[in-house]
Amino acid sequence: MGDEQRGFVRIPLPFQAFCRHYGALADTWHPVALLDLSAGGMSFTSEDLFEPDCPLEIKMQLPADTTPLILRGILRRVKSRSTNFVEYGAEFSEGTPEQRAKIDELVRFLRKRSS
């Protein structure tokens, strides 16, 4: 999932989201720190360990919404930075056009503000 393969604008966006293994309804949501976000995926760090190609359920609270956004994704990249710091890259595998549009709108708004 290198930069040249991305179909969406991605912007650094440091805020908290939550992940759990998809299908593990009894599993608790694990807090993750978003590093960046696009309508097609996200990068994050977590103290919890996830395996490559792991299906994920991702929950995030977008600033303009009162209901959390829940998406499905696949973990595409795992990069260990240190013993307590692992960076992950997830590609959203499912999501309605409306959900992707909300994320893309937020990314474009924040990109304009940071320019």
Side-chain angles (χ1 to χ4, degrees):
M1 195 166 81
D3 289 339
E4 67 282 350
Q5 296 175 340
R6 293 187 178 135
F8 299 95
V9 174
R10 189 172 283 231
I11 189 167
L13 191 62
F15 71 89
Q16 190 174 49
F18 299 89
C19 289
R20 68 179 176 189
H21 292 92
Y22 175 70
L25 298 178
D27 194 11
T28 58
W29 290 98
H30 303 279
V32 301
L34 262 61
L35 300 173
D36 61 42
L37 176 69
S38 79
M42 66 184 205
S43 294
F44 65 94
T45 61
S46 176
E47 292 181 8
D48 298 291
L49 296 177
F50 297 98
E51 296 295 321
D53 299 317
C54 168
L56 295 174
E57 204 166 17
I58 302 149
K59 178 170 67 171
M60 63 183 81
Q61 185 69 49
L62 297 181
D65 288 342
T66 56
T67 306
L69 184 64
I70 298 177
L71 299 163
R72 292 183 190 162
I74 302 290
L75 198 58
R76 297 293 187 200
R77 182 176 43 86
V78 177
K79 188 173 188 178
S80 181
R81 300 279 186 180
S82 69
T83 54
N84 294 332
F85 182 74
V86 179
E87 184 178 319
Y88 298 97
E91 177 182 0
F92 298 139
S93 59
E94 292 184 22
T96 66
E98 180 183 82
Q99 289 173 320
R100 288 180 189 257
K102 282 182 181 184
I103 293 171
D104 198 42
E105 182 180 327
L106 173 65
V107 169
R108 289 182 191 282
F109 172 76
L110 292 171
R111 188 172 185 198
K112 285 179 186 176
R113 284 188 60 189
S114 65
S115 296

